[in-house]
Amino acid sequence: MGGMMGGGGGLGGGMGGGFVPIYTDDASTKLSDRVRRRCFNCCTTDTSTWRRSSLNPGKVLCNKCGLFERTHSRPRPEQFPHKRGPV
């Protein structure tokens, strides 16, 4: 079984390009090429704009969660119940 330890496999083995960025929902963390933002509520990492949470000071939210929190004074739910019927 000598062949099990070679090869590298791609999980952090070496100084090459393929690093995995660290994601943070802390608003005070300085961003870099290795540190990126993540929504505190829905955990998305891709949004048009980042917003600061008023319910959870020091945390960042994606655009959708931030606007929902501002207008409804509560966190945006994962799924919305279908309240509206056909008009």
Side-chain angles (χ1 to χ4, degrees):
M1 288 213 197
M4 299 289 276
M5 297 301 283
L11 289 175
M15 304 274 263
F19 66 88
V20 177
I22 298 167
Y23 291 101
T24 181
D25 55 17
D26 187 5
S28 63
T29 301
K30 188 173 182 178
L31 300 181
S32 69
D33 58 343
R34 292 183 180 265
V35 180
R36 302 205 179 129
R37 295 215 189 278
R38 176 183 63 202
C39 178
F40 176 71
N41 189 45
C42 72
C43 296
T44 190
T45 57
D46 183 35
T47 183
S48 59
T49 250
W50 292 104
R51 299 179 179 271
R52 290 179 180 260
S53 174
S54 55
L55 297 178
N56 299 293
K59 299 296 183 182
V60 291
L61 299 171
C62 69
N63 191 48
K64 287 181 181 180
C65 291
L67 290 175
F68 188 94
E69 184 182 280
R70 187 190 303 169
T71 56
H72 299 283
S73 299
R74 63 185 175 93
R76 183 172 166 256
E78 277 188 40
Q79 295 181 343
F80 290 89
H82 296 290
K83 293 182 177 178
R84 296 182 184 174
V87 180

